[in-house]
Amino acid sequence: MQNQWDDESVVAFEGPLGPRVYSSRLLGAESELVLHGGGNTSVKVTEPDLYGEPREVLYVKGSGWDLARIEAAGFAPLDLAGTARLATLERLSDLHMMAELKRLCLRAEAPTPSVEAILHAVLPHRYVDHTHADAVVSITNTPGGEGHIREVYGDEVVVIPYVMPGFDLARRCAAEFARRAGPATRGMVLMNHGIFSFGASARDSYDTMIELVSRAEAFLKARGAWAGPPAEPAGLASPPFLALARLRRDVADAMGRPCVLRRDAGPAVAAFLARPDVERITQRGPATPDHVIRTKAVPLWGRDVAAYGKAYRAYFERHAGAARTPVTLLDPAPRVVLDPELGLVAVGRDAGEADAVADIYRHTMGVIGRAEALGGYRALPEKDLFDMEYWELEQAKLARGAGGPAFRGEVVLVTGAASGIGRACVEAFRARGAAVVAVDVAPAVEALDDGVGVLAVRCDVSDEAAVAAALALAERTFGGLDMLVLNAGLFPGGTPVAAETAQQWRRVMAVNLDANLFLLKHAHGLLRLAPRHGRVVVMGSRNVAAPGLGAAAYSASKAALLQLARVTALEWAPDGIRVNMLHPDAVFDTGLWTAEVLAARAAHYGLSVEAYRRRNLLKTDITSRRVAELAANLCGEDYACTTGAQLPVDGGNERVI
């Protein structure tokens, strides 16, 4: 574990919370310490109250903030004395505890305080850091875990047996720490949960955390329990086309909503899945109880989602009667799938959530491997995991986030995505929560790739093999496909029929017609497996109904595309796939409309460029964004009963009307 503290960098973090923000980000940036919103940090300061009198304030990380990106606003200020006093109560429900913490919060706009705020308050140190360090958890999750921890740290840490987070843990730690801490105490280890460090300054606490975790790593290495990367870095081969989409459909059916899958088939996963004991050891539970909220207690081994659901319901029945509070069955779908052919497949309600699940389980594999080498991996008993999964606070949090944007969990592929209508479609579908596969031959498309919810693919859609490869990549990246926007097209400058060349004619037909046949042909299997049924939006043109002078190739290709879309709507209706067409006109903020093309078209009609731009009946501007919004709406629930439709987006054209 490398110490990343830099005295010059910390200066940039101004204000009384500056060092706290800086050291929190250092901890959050290290995935071996903190993953996706885990961990907590705090600082105790003296501030004047409303009357100018000094008051002790606890600034603790707010719920929902990620340490890696936290800002001063991410810390909730609490009255320190009142918060610490809560630990003296005999009992307090966690919901009541959170209500009290909100009452003790000194800033109305502050985030909800961490559930561990009381624990931070009772520790008698100015700075407190808490992480779920992989190395420490690898040691605690073994039959001799507590003994190993005492061997590593001696009297420098207070060891607390596992207690579920919340009021009970805070009260237990308040009593145990006061009784057992001594002059040498520098930290605290919560069995099966994580490690705390303390200090008079942000650097003291951070340095202590790095040192304590490094000692745990050294212990594992000395015991031969620190496995390096695979000697032969070979990953798994790509699975057959539609294998992931079929799994996604089964998981989505069990979840009762669409979902995104993230696949990891790299060397580390391949090596882990090759273990002869892999199925047995992966069914013992997560590395820390916090993970059960995202990953469920155990992964699915193989692809029998129905069998997993049956086992999950039995797990619920075993423990629901003795639950801490009344509980309702959650969806029985797995969040982690381990399969010899597919590798590690993480499930999420969107791409970001699936990425978090994948990250957590990659670290879990490391913890399992190290713990096995140290003496055997042992997670918490099933009852403790159930209590955490069905914790009243977590269920309330999940309920608040149960909705979300209309296309959350769904995947759309947009062609011609680098500019104009295509780029606007990327933005419109992304704003509705969809994961987007942005396809274009232009290099500019690569700027759209954000590494999470937008995958950019450079592809010549007139190349059938390239189209098939792009769709296969979409499946491997997000698990399937729900929506397809056929937008890529060519509009050559005005060319009379007598001057048309075979080369230009074939090129326009290849992009405007043939490419869309290829996309429909190869996307059908994916769309047929879409959890909410597939949807296709085809970008036609006003020229279909009202062709223009000098646009023979373009008009003919779009008219043929209309017929292709209509036949597809007829053929795919039994699969529940909707196919609709938009007919835009005069969308001048697209790549098709260069200054030269615009001038040429205006000249064909004997109009000025400005008159040509507003030649529609409504005298309005038709923008890419307006077309994209309608395309996205066509894929939504309001149009669930519509297929084979043609909608003009042209401001009104008397030749069409």
Side-chain angles (χ1 to χ4, degrees):
M1 186 64 59
Q2 297 296 311
N3 190 313
Q4 303 294 337
W5 187 278
D6 179 63
D7 286 329
E8 293 185 4
S9 297
V10 71
V11 174
F13 291 80
E14 300 176 346
L17 295 185
R20 177 69 290 175
V21 173
Y22 174 68
S23 63
S24 297
R25 289 189 181 185
L26 291 183
L27 295 172
E30 178 50 68
S31 64
E32 295 282 333
L33 295 176
V34 172
L35 285 172
H36 298 284
N40 283 284
T41 58
S42 68
V43 62
K44 302 174 180 74
V45 302
T46 302
E47 294 180 342
D49 65 11
L50 183 63
Y51 307 100
E53 298 175 357
R55 174 172 55 190
E56 296 298 309
V57 178
L58 170 72
Y59 279 89
V60 65
K61 191 195 87 166
S63 178
W65 279 82
D66 192 319
L67 286 180
R69 292 177 291 275
I70 199 164
E71 301 171 1
F75 290 90
L78 301 173
D79 178 82
L80 177 59
T83 304
R85 189 180 180 189
L86 291 175
T88 66
L89 296 171
E90 287 293 323
R91 62 181 60 86
L92 188 66
S93 75
D94 288 333
L95 281 176
H96 193 179
M97 176 190 71
M98 294 309 298
E100 287 298 308
L101 290 177
K102 289 181 180 179
R103 182 182 64 81
L104 290 163
C105 194
L106 303 175
R107 196 175 70 232
E109 72 278 12
T112 300
S114 164
V115 69
E116 293 178 348
I118 301 174
L119 176 50
H120 282 254
V122 300
L123 293 173
H125 297 275
R126 187 180 182 204
Y127 284 85
V128 176
D129 295 343
H130 172 209
T131 74
H132 303 149
D134 287 359
V136 174
V137 175
S138 296
I139 297 172
T140 64
N141 287 21
T142 62
E146 185 170 344
H148 291 318
I149 289 294
R150 296 190 187 281
E151 181 180 349
V152 174
Y153 300 120
D155 62 356
E156 292 183 57
V157 304
V158 172
V159 181
I160 306 293
Y162 175 76
V163 179
M164 183 172 165
F167 176 75
D168 291 343
L169 175 61
R171 188 170 183 274
R172 176 73 174 270
C173 288
E176 291 289 321
F177 192 86
R179 182 172 63 86
R180 295 163 55 187
T185 301
R186 307 173 64 212
M188 180 170 66
V189 170
L190 308 182
M191 295 297 294
N192 302 90
H193 185 87
I195 184 169
F196 282 75
S197 64
F198 329 115
S201 69
R203 179 162 191 176
D204 287 344
S205 189
Y206 173 78
D207 287 349
T208 300
M209 177 63 71
I210 299 304
E211 181 193 340
L212 293 176
V213 175
S214 296
R215 285 163 63 178
E217 293 176 346
F219 176 83
L220 290 167
K221 292 174 183 176
R223 295 298 184 94
W226 190 269
E232 298 181 5
L236 301 174
S238 295
F241 187 54
L242 300 184
L244 276 169
R246 292 189 183 97
L247 174 63
R248 176 177 179 251
R249 176 62 182 265
D250 290 343
V251 172
D253 286 347
M255 288 180 73
R257 57 170 301 129
C259 59
V260 171
L261 305 187
R262 288 294 216 189
R263 176 178 183 251
D264 185 341
V269 171
F272 184 76
L273 295 185
R275 293 179 61 120
D277 59 352
V278 63
E279 185 173 1
R280 176 171 52 84
I281 61 177
T282 55
Q283 298 304 301
R284 294 177 184 168
T288 79
D290 306 65
H291 292 170
V292 75
I293 302 300
R294 291 186 183 267
T295 68
K296 291 195 180 287
V298 295
L300 165 62
W301 178 259
R303 305 180 210 176
D304 193 339
V305 176
Y308 184 94
K310 183 178 180 181
Y312 184 85
R313 291 183 182 91
Y315 153 81
F316 178 83
E317 293 298 327
R318 284 195 297 273
H319 302 293
R324 294 156 56 100
T325 56
V327 293
T328 302
L329 177 69
L330 299 173
D331 77 73
R335 296 303 190 268
V336 178
V337 179
L338 301 175
D339 182 84
E341 183 180 44
L342 299 180
L344 163 62
V345 180
V347 179
R349 291 173 296 178
D350 52 39
E353 190 172 278
D355 281 343
V357 172
D359 278 350
I360 287 170
Y361 207 79
R362 278 190 285 265
H363 283 264
T364 299
M365 292 189 303
V367 170
I368 290 174
R370 294 164 190 163
E372 277 293 295
L374 187 59
Y377 175 67
R378 185 178 69 179
L380 287 167
E382 187 180 81
K383 176 63 167 63
D384 289 319
L385 298 176
F386 180 89
D387 285 343
M388 189 70 189
E389 184 176 1
Y390 282 85
W391 188 17
E392 55 183 338
L393 295 183
E394 288 297 338
Q395 295 315 295
K397 187 188 300 183
L398 289 173
R400 290 194 297 271
F407 294 155
R408 188 180 191 189
E410 297 197 285
V411 184
V412 61
L413 186 147
V414 179
T415 64
S419 62
I421 293 173
R423 182 160 188 156
C425 283
V426 171
E427 295 168 355
F429 280 87
R430 195 75 185 101
R432 289 163 171 79
V436 181
V437 183
V439 175
D440 204 300
V441 71
V445 73
E446 295 172 357
L448 299 177
D449 199 311
D450 63 4
V452 182
V454 180
L455 169 69
V457 181
R458 285 193 64 187
C459 172
D460 181 351
V461 291
S462 66
D463 181 338
E464 184 172 2
V467 165
L471 286 163
L473 179 59
E475 183 198 12
R476 291 198 304 273
T477 303
F478 295 123
L481 186 69
D482 303 271
M483 298 168 283
L484 180 62
V485 179
L486 301 178
N487 168 72
L490 287 180
F491 186 94
T495 305
V497 171
E500 188 68 72
T501 66
Q503 181 180 14
Q504 178 172 278
W505 179 272
R506 293 192 191 100
R507 180 58 182 159
V508 172
M509 290 295 171
V511 174
N512 292 3
L513 179 60
D514 299 351
N516 293 311
L517 171 63
F518 301 153
L519 283 155
L520 290 167
K521 170 184 172 182
H522 290 283
H524 177 246
L526 292 171
L527 294 171
R528 190 167 49 84
L529 291 168
R532 289 179 180 163
H533 303 295
R535 284 138 283 164
V536 180
V537 175
V538 180
M539 289 296 171
S541 170
R542 182 269 301 171
N543 284 39
V544 169
L549 299 173
Y554 179 78
S555 300
S557 67
K558 289 294 185 177
L561 178 59
L562 167 64
Q563 294 302 91
L564 173 62
R566 293 173 69 190
V567 172
T568 304
L570 291 169
E571 293 182 354
W572 290 5
D575 293 324
I577 301 171
R578 299 188 277 117
V579 182
N580 293 294
M581 178 170 262
L582 295 180
H583 292 307
D585 183 40
V587 187
F588 298 116
D589 61 345
T590 71
L592 295 178
W593 289 98
T594 64
E596 293 76 13
V597 170
L598 185 58
R601 300 311 299 159
H604 266 291
Y605 288 93
L607 300 172
S608 68
V609 168
E610 187 57 34
Y612 182 73
R613 290 173 64 95
R614 289 178 168 268
R615 73 189 191 281
N616 60 75
L617 295 176
L618 296 176
K619 306 300 181 185
T620 188
D621 290 326
I622 301 96
T623 64
S624 294
R625 187 190 66 81
R626 286 179 169 176
V627 178
E629 290 295 318
L630 184 51
N633 289 339
L634 270 176
C635 292
E637 191 61 28
D638 289 345
Y639 288 87
C641 299
T642 301
T643 193
Q646 301 178 56
L647 296 178
V649 195
D650 58 9
N653 185 290
E654 58 190 11
R655 294 175 61 203
V656 174
I657 294 173

PDB file of all heavy atoms in Angstrom, residues 283-295:
ATOM      1  N   GLN A 283     -19.934 -19.778  -2.697  1.00  0.00           N
ATOM      2  CA  GLN A 283     -21.268 -19.828  -2.096  1.00  0.00           C
ATOM      3  C   GLN A 283     -21.244 -19.554  -0.595  1.00  0.00           C
ATOM      4  O   GLN A 283     -22.243 -19.745   0.096  1.00  0.00           O
ATOM      5  CB  GLN A 283     -21.913 -21.180  -2.377  1.00  0.00           C
ATOM      6  CG  GLN A 283     -22.120 -21.474  -3.848  1.00  0.00           C
ATOM      7  CD  GLN A 283     -22.938 -20.411  -4.569  1.00  0.00           C
ATOM      8  OE1 GLN A 283     -24.081 -20.148  -4.189  1.00  0.00           O
ATOM      9  NE2 GLN A 283     -22.363 -19.800  -5.592  1.00  0.00           N
ATOM     10  N   ARG A 284     -20.100 -19.086  -0.078  1.00  0.00           N
ATOM     11  CA  ARG A 284     -19.993 -18.845   1.364  1.00  0.00           C
ATOM     12  C   ARG A 284     -20.393 -17.438   1.766  1.00  0.00           C
ATOM     13  O   ARG A 284     -20.542 -17.159   2.954  1.00  0.00           O
ATOM     14  CB  ARG A 284     -18.560 -19.120   1.825  1.00  0.00           C
ATOM     15  CG  ARG A 284     -18.176 -20.588   1.700  1.00  0.00           C
ATOM     16  CD  ARG A 284     -16.724 -20.810   2.092  1.00  0.00           C
ATOM     17  NE  ARG A 284     -16.335 -22.205   1.884  1.00  0.00           N
ATOM     18  CZ  ARG A 284     -15.085 -22.650   1.924  1.00  0.00           C
ATOM     19  NH1 ARG A 284     -14.090 -21.793   2.158  1.00  0.00           N
ATOM     20  NH2 ARG A 284     -14.813 -23.920   1.734  1.00  0.00           N
ATOM     21  N   GLY A 285     -20.525 -16.542   0.821  1.00  0.00           N
ATOM     22  CA  GLY A 285     -20.962 -15.196   1.169  1.00  0.00           C
ATOM     23  C   GLY A 285     -19.970 -14.133   0.767  1.00  0.00           C
ATOM     24  O   GLY A 285     -18.856 -14.426   0.333  1.00  0.00           O
ATOM     25  N   PRO A 286     -20.346 -12.849   0.927  1.00  0.00           N
ATOM     26  CA  PRO A 286     -19.513 -11.728   0.482  1.00  0.00           C
ATOM     27  C   PRO A 286     -18.367 -11.441   1.442  1.00  0.00           C
ATOM     28  O   PRO A 286     -18.339 -11.918   2.583  1.00  0.00           O
ATOM     29  CB  PRO A 286     -20.502 -10.566   0.448  1.00  0.00           C
ATOM     30  CG  PRO A 286     -21.495 -10.907   1.512  1.00  0.00           C
ATOM     31  CD  PRO A 286     -21.635 -12.400   1.485  1.00  0.00           C
ATOM     32  N   ALA A 287     -17.431 -10.624   0.983  1.00  0.00           N
ATOM     33  CA  ALA A 287     -16.262 -10.281   1.790  1.00  0.00           C
ATOM     34  C   ALA A 287     -16.641  -9.445   3.002  1.00  0.00           C
ATOM     35  O   ALA A 287     -16.071  -9.601   4.082  1.00  0.00           O
ATOM     36  CB  ALA A 287     -15.235  -9.543   0.935  1.00  0.00           C
ATOM     37  N   THR A 288     -17.569  -8.519   2.839  1.00  0.00           N
ATOM     38  CA  THR A 288     -18.078  -7.740   3.964  1.00  0.00           C
ATOM     39  C   THR A 288     -19.599  -7.689   3.840  1.00  0.00           C
ATOM     40  O   THR A 288     -20.143  -7.781   2.730  1.00  0.00           O
ATOM     41  CB  THR A 288     -17.531  -6.295   3.991  1.00  0.00           C
ATOM     42  OG1 THR A 288     -18.254  -5.499   3.050  1.00  0.00           O
ATOM     43  CG2 THR A 288     -16.047  -6.264   3.674  1.00  0.00           C
ATOM     44  N   PRO A 289     -20.307  -7.552   4.947  1.00  0.00           N
ATOM     45  CA  PRO A 289     -21.775  -7.542   4.869  1.00  0.00           C
ATOM     46  C   PRO A 289     -22.316  -6.389   4.046  1.00  0.00           C
ATOM     47  O   PRO A 289     -23.389  -6.497   3.457  1.00  0.00           O
ATOM     48  CB  PRO A 289     -22.204  -7.445   6.339  1.00  0.00           C
ATOM     49  CG  PRO A 289     -21.021  -6.890   7.051  1.00  0.00           C
ATOM     50  CD  PRO A 289     -19.825  -7.426   6.327  1.00  0.00           C
ATOM     51  N   ASP A 290     -21.572  -5.273   3.970  1.00  0.00           N
ATOM     52  CA  ASP A 290     -22.031  -4.130   3.180  1.00  0.00           C
ATOM     53  C   ASP A 290     -22.273  -4.513   1.718  1.00  0.00           C
ATOM     54  O   ASP A 290     -23.155  -3.970   1.054  1.00  0.00           O
ATOM     55  CB  ASP A 290     -20.994  -2.997   3.232  1.00  0.00           C
ATOM     56  CG  ASP A 290     -20.642  -2.595   4.646  1.00  0.00           C
ATOM     57  OD1 ASP A 290     -20.072  -3.442   5.354  1.00  0.00           O
ATOM     58  OD2 ASP A 290     -20.912  -1.450   5.033  1.00  0.00           O
ATOM     59  N   HIS A 291     -21.473  -5.449   1.227  1.00  0.00           N
ATOM     60  CA  HIS A 291     -21.566  -5.814  -0.183  1.00  0.00           C
ATOM     61  C   HIS A 291     -22.868  -6.526  -0.533  1.00  0.00           C
ATOM     62  O   HIS A 291     -23.275  -6.537  -1.691  1.00  0.00           O
ATOM     63  CB  HIS A 291     -20.387  -6.706  -0.568  1.00  0.00           C
ATOM     64  CG  HIS A 291     -19.074  -5.999  -0.556  1.00  0.00           C
ATOM     65  ND1 HIS A 291     -17.874  -6.662  -0.679  1.00  0.00           N
ATOM     66  CD2 HIS A 291     -18.764  -4.678  -0.435  1.00  0.00           C
ATOM     67  CE1 HIS A 291     -16.873  -5.781  -0.621  1.00  0.00           C
ATOM     68  NE2 HIS A 291     -17.402  -4.574  -0.482  1.00  0.00           N
ATOM     69  N   VAL A 292     -23.512  -7.137   0.456  1.00  0.00           N
ATOM     70  CA  VAL A 292     -24.709  -7.925   0.157  1.00  0.00           C
ATOM     71  C   VAL A 292     -25.811  -7.051  -0.432  1.00  0.00           C
ATOM     72  O   VAL A 292     -26.664  -7.531  -1.187  1.00  0.00           O
ATOM     73  CB  VAL A 292     -25.199  -8.659   1.425  1.00  0.00           C
ATOM     74  CG1 VAL A 292     -25.875  -7.704   2.390  1.00  0.00           C
ATOM     75  CG2 VAL A 292     -26.131  -9.803   1.065  1.00  0.00           C
ATOM     76  N   ILE A 293     -25.784  -5.757  -0.121  1.00  0.00           N
ATOM     77  CA  ILE A 293     -26.796  -4.853  -0.658  1.00  0.00           C
ATOM     78  C   ILE A 293     -26.692  -4.783  -2.179  1.00  0.00           C
ATOM     79  O   ILE A 293     -27.697  -4.705  -2.886  1.00  0.00           O
ATOM     80  CB  ILE A 293     -26.634  -3.448  -0.050  1.00  0.00           C
ATOM     81  CG1 ILE A 293     -26.738  -3.507   1.476  1.00  0.00           C
ATOM     82  CG2 ILE A 293     -27.655  -2.487  -0.622  1.00  0.00           C
ATOM     83  CD1 ILE A 293     -28.055  -4.039   1.990  1.00  0.00           C
ATOM     84  N   ARG A 294     -25.470  -4.813  -2.686  1.00  0.00           N
ATOM     85  CA  ARG A 294     -25.279  -4.714  -4.143  1.00  0.00           C
ATOM     86  C   ARG A 294     -25.193  -6.082  -4.818  1.00  0.00           C
ATOM     87  O   ARG A 294     -25.616  -6.233  -5.964  1.00  0.00           O
ATOM     88  CB  ARG A 294     -23.999  -3.935  -4.449  1.00  0.00           C
ATOM     89  CG  ARG A 294     -24.047  -2.441  -4.118  1.00  0.00           C
ATOM     90  CD  ARG A 294     -22.777  -1.776  -4.619  1.00  0.00           C
ATOM     91  NE  ARG A 294     -22.672  -0.376  -4.297  1.00  0.00           N
ATOM     92  CZ  ARG A 294     -23.072   0.612  -5.084  1.00  0.00           C
ATOM     93  NH1 ARG A 294     -23.642   0.328  -6.249  1.00  0.00           N
ATOM     94  NH2 ARG A 294     -22.894   1.866  -4.737  1.00  0.00           N
ATOM     95  N   THR A 295     -24.621  -7.068  -4.133  1.00  0.00           N
ATOM     96  CA  THR A 295     -24.299  -8.340  -4.798  1.00  0.00           C
ATOM     97  C   THR A 295     -25.199  -9.492  -4.411  1.00  0.00           C
ATOM     98  O   THR A 295     -25.103 -10.558  -4.994  1.00  0.00           O
ATOM     99  CB  THR A 295     -22.850  -8.746  -4.488  1.00  0.00           C
ATOM    100  OG1 THR A 295     -22.734  -9.077  -3.099  1.00  0.00           O
ATOM    101  CG2 THR A 295     -21.872  -7.628  -4.826  1.00  0.00           C
TER     102      THR A 295
END
